[in-house]
Amino acid sequence: MMSFYKGNVTGGIPGLLPGPYYWWEAGAMFGSLIDYWYYTGDESYNDVTTEALLFQVGPDDNYMPPNQSKSLGNDDQAFWALAAMSAAETNFPNPPQDKPQWLALAQAVYNHQVGLWNTDACGGGLKWQIYSFNNGYNYRNSISNGCFFNLAARLGMYTGNETYLEWAKKSWDWSRDIGLIKKDTYQVFDGTDDNINCTQLNHMQWSYNTGVHLLGTATMWNMVCLAYLPCYI
């Protein structure tokens, strides 16, 4: 995987993969390298991972670098936040003291996305795109809302702050009520459109939509177990 990455060589930009790979895919890649370190103890990629995660934070330390604005959606931003969340959860080596810390980066993205919860149509939910000039601004998709749900659940478990958990539940309930998560089979469909008040669905299914919701629901289940012991599977 690292053979594709040129951000740590002369002339490269830390955190970016070459085309055709998207910015969010680099965020997911560095998240996987945190997992690699945690499960193997191999520190070979720790420095390059830290460099990448800090280089791409943007001027507001919330993973909104201006040079990615033409394709920066809520899901793209969230993938970097989820990597930072993994770093906090696994006690990945801390950044230098003069840099934003892992938890603060995850919280900054959460705080930004809470402010984008949109009730102009569909009764709530996050749009796919952050900026109105990008294609897909009217699309409300499972990956954006699923990543927000995932992040809120994990922040709630990590910090013990129930506000995060309340937003995780709100996001989950919205996705179920709209039909993005089918109530009887738990299939996760790709998205819907606020131009039609989310009355029709794109029934395409992608594994990452299911994956982000699985981790979020597992986290919420663990919170229930911690609060209401004994808890049985």
Side-chain angles (χ1 to χ4, degrees):
M1 181 174 65
M2 287 299 293
S3 66
F4 293 99
Y5 181 62
K6 308 302 178 186
N8 58 340
V9 300
T10 301
I13 300 176
L16 297 187
L17 286 166
Y21 297 102
Y22 291 103
W23 181 67
W24 72 265
E25 291 177 296
M29 182 185 81
F30 289 111
S32 73
L33 288 176
I34 292 168
D35 291 340
Y36 170 78
W37 161 80
Y38 179 73
Y39 287 110
T40 68
D42 184 354
E43 301 177 354
S44 300
Y45 304 112
N46 284 13
D47 288 345
V48 70
T49 297
T50 297
E51 179 188 44
L53 288 173
L54 295 179
F55 196 88
Q56 293 295 323
V57 297
D60 296 321
D61 294 340
N62 65 352
Y63 290 113
M64 292 187 67
N67 62 344
Q68 298 298 326
S69 60
K70 68 179 181 179
S71 62
L72 200 161
N74 284 302
D75 52 344
D76 304 74
Q77 181 192 31
F79 269 96
W80 287 85
L82 296 178
M85 191 69 232
S86 292
E89 291 167 333
T90 60
N91 201 26
F92 190 72
N94 292 321
Q97 287 299 311
D98 61 341
K99 300 294 183 181
Q101 302 299 294
W102 303 131
L103 177 61
L105 287 167
Q107 289 173 316
V109 173
Y110 165 86
N111 290 334
H112 179 260
Q113 294 197 349
V114 163
L116 297 179
W117 187 264
N118 187 289
T119 58
D120 292 342
C122 308
L126 292 178
K127 291 172 174 280
W128 176 21
Q129 297 296 333
I130 296 172
Y131 301 112
S132 60
F133 53 76
N134 284 335
N135 290 332
Y137 182 69
N138 294 314
Y139 197 57
R140 304 203 182 196
N141 60 353
S142 288
I143 192 59
S144 294
N145 287 281
C147 284
F148 175 72
F149 162 67
N150 181 305
L151 181 62
R154 292 163 67 185
L155 280 169
M157 185 167 190
Y158 188 87
T159 66
N161 186 330
E162 291 191 4
T163 300
Y164 293 124
L165 301 175
E166 290 168 2
W167 269 99
K169 184 178 185 303
K170 184 174 183 176
S171 178
W172 170 266
D173 289 345
W174 178 83
S175 292
R176 291 265 284 168
D177 292 342
I178 286 295
L180 291 178
I181 302 172
K182 194 172 182 181
K183 292 185 178 180
D184 54 346
T185 62
Y186 291 92
Q187 292 167 281
V188 183
F189 302 125
D190 189 67
T192 184
D193 194 318
D194 60 19
N195 283 327
I196 56 172
N197 201 34
C198 299
T199 55
Q200 297 179 25
L201 302 174
N202 174 354
H203 287 90
M204 186 74 72
Q205 297 179 67
W206 301 100
S207 59
Y208 76 161
N209 285 332
T210 302
V212 295
H213 284 93
L214 280 172
L215 180 53
T217 52
T219 302
M220 295 293 280
W221 175 256
N222 283 334
M223 288 301 297
V224 171
C225 290
L226 290 171
Y228 302 107
L229 292 173
C231 186
Y232 302 99
I233 298 176

